[in-house]
Amino acid sequence: EVQVVQSGAELKKPGESLKISCEASGYAFNSYWIGWVRQMPGKGLEWMGMIYAGDSDTRYSPSFQGQVTFSVDKSISAAYVQWSSLKASDTGIYYCVRLDALHSGLLRAFDFWGQGTSVTVSS
Amino acid sequence: DIVMTQSPDSLAVSLGERATINCKSSQSVFKRSSDKYYLAWFQQKPGQPPKLLFYWASTRESGVSDRFSGSGSGTDFTLTISSLQAEDVAVYYCHQYHTIPYTFGQGTRLEIK
């Protein structure tokens, strides 16, 4: 059974650093992209980018390029997003999600979502 | 960026009636190499992560009720719920994964009338 479990809620101050995690199980982690999606309070979904677990190839949305860093630890099937200096505008729920693709390279969809990590940045 | 525009922003439908949500992409999301539209629909209930309903515009994800259907071509796509049930109250998003940055529609809030 595929499972994607994210780390718990965070309360941080502006300027602090943060790294949140997403642990996957039940599938071949190294063979899939993991995407990150932000949802600001009461708002819609924003695609931040994605990372290929096998070789850490990353694709960032221009809106998030330079603001966050994606990484993976293949040894524990985990993906991460980190901030070096948080801002109040980083407040929101962050979801990780698996991008399913067929062996032919045909993308299927973002199918398995984590439960979300709530990040609150406030002084 | 490909802009995804949903209509309406909110919708109230009586139980048992049909609900229709539209999504228009600013550019084609058709992938010639695979003959597929890279267009998905998600359902998000309060306090929950999004749930995949459809991919390739009209392929229903396993376990999704057949009251839901996805259709469309070109740059116009539709999500239809044939007979609204109480558990369908949610926000629905269309999503293109054809061109990076991938993008979502703004969401359509579906309520019971």
Side-chain angles (χ1 to χ4, degrees):
Chain A
E1 179 194 7
V2 174
Q3 288 195 315
V4 180
V5 180
Q6 298 185 233
S7 49
E10 301 277 358
L11 175 58
K12 308 292 280 185
K13 290 181 166 48
E16 292 185 331
S17 62
L18 175 64
K19 189 174 187 177
I20 63 174
S21 68
C22 165
E23 293 194 10
S25 60
Y27 71 95
F29 181 74
N30 291 1
S31 300
Y32 289 79
W33 292 85
I34 291 284
W36 289 94
V37 175
R38 181 176 76 177
Q39 188 164 39
M40 298 176 76
K43 301 299 184 183
L45 305 172
E46 300 175 85
W47 187 80
M48 299 169 63
M50 60 190 189
I51 182 167
Y52 188 70
D55 62 6
S56 296
D57 184 13
T58 55
R59 311 290 163 83
Y60 292 98
S61 166
S63 298
F64 291 89
Q65 179 86 47
Q67 309 304 308
V68 296
T69 302
F70 303 144
S71 60
V72 296
D73 183 339
K74 293 188 289 185
S75 68
I76 57 170
S77 299
Y80 305 92
V81 57
Q82 66 183 72
W83 295 258
S84 59
S85 180
L86 286 160
K87 302 184 283 288
S89 58
D90 293 316
T91 294
I93 297 175
Y94 292 83
Y95 294 101
C96 66
V97 54
R98 186 185 80 161
L99 175 58
D100 191 23
L102 305 183
H103 290 297
S104 59
L106 173 65
L107 300 183
R108 195 178 71 89
F110 286 98
D111 56 0
F112 285 93
W113 292 67
Q115 82 276 19
T117 295
S118 174
V119 174
T120 303
V121 184
S122 174
S123 54
Chain B
D1 297 7
I2 296 179
V3 177
M4 308 299 289
T5 303
Q6 293 181 225
S7 61
D9 289 334
S10 63
L11 181 61
V13 174
S14 300
L15 289 172
E17 296 298 307
R18 178 185 299 264
T20 301
I21 298 171
N22 300 300
C23 174
K24 187 175 185 67
S25 60
S26 63
Q27 301 172 40
S28 174
V29 296
F30 182 71
K31 194 72 88 171
R32 286 185 194 278
S33 56
S34 55
D35 193 30
K36 301 287 188 190
Y37 286 99
Y38 277 11
L39 186 285
W41 287 97
F42 294 94
Q43 175 195 63
Q44 188 179 31
K45 296 181 179 180
Q48 296 184 20
K51 173 188 174 184
L52 176 65
L53 298 178
F54 289 91
Y55 56 95
W56 300 335
S58 60
T59 301
R60 191 181 296 108
E61 175 71 336
S62 176
V64 173
S65 170
D66 59 6
R67 294 184 294 102
F68 291 84
S69 62
S71 63
S73 62
T75 59
D76 293 288
F77 302 91
T78 301
L79 174 69
T80 302
I81 307 172
S82 60
S83 176
L84 189 71
Q85 304 299 304
E87 62 263 30
D88 302 331
V89 169
V91 179
Y92 293 84
Y93 295 93
C94 61
H95 166 62
Q96 69 81 17
Y97 50 110
H98 177 278
T99 301
I100 289 173
Y102 299 157
T103 48
F104 293 90
Q106 79 276 18
T108 295
R109 186 174 300 277
L110 177 59
E111 300 172 333
I112 305 294
K113 185 187 292 183

